[in-house]
Amino acid sequence: MRLSLADEMLLRNGCSGVTGLAAVFTGERPSLEEVRGRVAERWTAMRRLSQVLRLTPGAGEGGRRPPRRRRAQWIVPGPFRPREQVLAADCELHELWADVVSRPLPEGVPPWRLFVVPGGSEGGFALALVAQHVLLDGHSLIVSMRVLMDDADPVRTPGHVPRPRVPLVAVAKELRALALPGQALPTPPPHRASPSVAVRPLPVPTLRAASRHPRGTRGATPNELLVSAVAGALRTHFGPASDWPSARPVYTSVPCDLRTRENQDELGNVVTAVRVALPLGLDDPVARLRVCQGALRAVPERAAVHAAALFPLAERVRRMAPWAAAPVTGRESRPSYLATVTTTAKWRAGSPTFQGRELRHMAGLPPLHRPGSASFLLMQNRSACTLTAVCHLLPGSAQRLADAVVEEFEVLARTAEPGHHAGRTGSGRPGPS
């Protein structure tokens, strides 16, 4: 089966491309056989989890013409057998994330692994699902994990998804926005750059208090708060905009889930990403938040332009002249194009259990990008929030940036308007990548 355009872009980005989601539970750790039995029961019918990526020689290979890029396609090599992919981890969750983030998963079996992870000093255990992003986006990870829970509803078969029409002026405007140059995060010498991962809890009361900003408005959504907090953290870590190497904007990528009610359980990469300039020139946290709110308010409409016009156009170009699409599929991996990625995701399944063990909190793992970049993922469930930062900068940068992001939330929380409640993000919202 042919790769979608989103799959192709994730495959050709030159990075390890590993992403993950962990559900942390109380209680005694289950045996591998218990987990494998649940996986076989619940995931066998989910065809995407049986697919393997096969690369075949492109036109010109083996002949006199110069070799071209190898073609990729999805195949299902045989029956669903999760024994090789459901494994016991010998380390805690933060160590597992640091270990897998910079290495692609081994080939030969579908590119996902489910680890049963010890809980460390806090007790309990975690189920950590790791996958190549080319196979599963963030929403797919959530759907797959939800299906494993006790009394979970089965995955619904995708229906027909209508494609809305968009004005040509909106298409032209988004094309101009996609072409604007940006700059990467200040990058250390190549021999000093290295991946780093940090996981930080964000107290739910802090998030709720921060969401009461700005005063006299509807309040702020978690996505608006995260983008604003990342802008503040970059100022703290690298200095104000005047200290940066270039006057060009620093862009963050805001992933947007393109699923509708008709295909909300579809697995794969049903996602796009919208570029948003970070307000590094503003010193006041509330002023930064206001600017981010204005920019993110347009994101659902911009994502709709991608889905209805840009993706179909790019698909036609890719089928007619694959060589012409190559620059587009690799552009988003350049830190000068997208310096950061900011994602929020919410576990909406209430308080689920796994074989009677209660969920404590969730933690995500955004994929690693090239040197000069950083990714931030805020994962929420009913009782907890967890921030994960992944950087390709100086050693330890992820922890320092994660701490600075949490400090930005705390500043907004301390100065929030008491008693005000934030509005909810509507459909077509930014979501997990």
Side-chain angles (χ1 to χ4, degrees), residues 33 93-94 119 136 171 181 230 244 261 265 269 307 317 350 354:
E33 291 308 313
L93 181 62
H94 67 280
L136 300 174
V171 177
V230 166
W244 287 58
R261 289 184 178 181
D265 284 346
N269 286 292
V317 171
F354 181 84

Side-chain angles (χ1 to χ4, degrees), residues 98-275:
D99 181 56
V100 303
V101 72
S102 59
R103 294 185 292 112
L105 296 176
E107 299 179 358
V109 296
W112 60 265
R113 302 291 183 274
L114 183 68
F115 293 95
V116 184
V117 185
S121 59
E122 294 185 356
F125 68 98
L127 296 179
L129 175 57
V130 175
Q132 293 295 144
H133 204 336
V134 67
L135 180 76
L136 300 174
D137 60 17
H139 184 84
S140 299
L141 295 175
I142 293 173
V143 171
S144 302
M145 190 70 76
R146 172 179 61 79
V147 171
L148 292 181
M149 300 300 107
D150 300 340
D151 304 320
D153 295 329
V155 169
R156 285 153 288 194
T157 303
H160 173 71
V161 180
R163 182 180 296 165
R165 301 183 67 177
V166 296
L168 287 177
V169 65
V171 177
K173 183 178 180 181
E174 185 61 20
L175 285 172
R176 287 194 297 270
L178 290 172
L180 293 173
Q183 65 171 314
L185 303 183
T187 309
H191 68 279
R192 297 187 64 196
S194 67
S196 59
V197 181
V199 182
R200 276 261 348 227
L202 176 66
V204 172
T206 300
L207 177 63
R208 288 175 179 165
S211 70
R212 298 180 185 130
H213 265 301
R215 298 188 178 203
T217 72
R218 60 179 172 81
T221 66
N223 206 59
E224 293 164 352
L225 289 167
L226 178 61
V227 173
S228 173
V230 166
L234 295 182
R235 278 182 60 96
T236 299
H237 192 72
F238 296 110
S242 58
D243 293 347
W244 287 58
S246 167
R248 291 176 174 176
V250 177
Y251 286 100
T252 194
S253 171
V254 181
C256 301
D257 184 15
L258 299 178
R259 293 168 179 85
T260 66
R261 289 184 178 181
E262 286 74 20
N263 67 330
Q264 58 185 307
D265 284 346
E266 182 178 350
L267 300 187
N269 286 292
V270 191
V271 67
T272 190
V274 174
R275 294 174 90 202

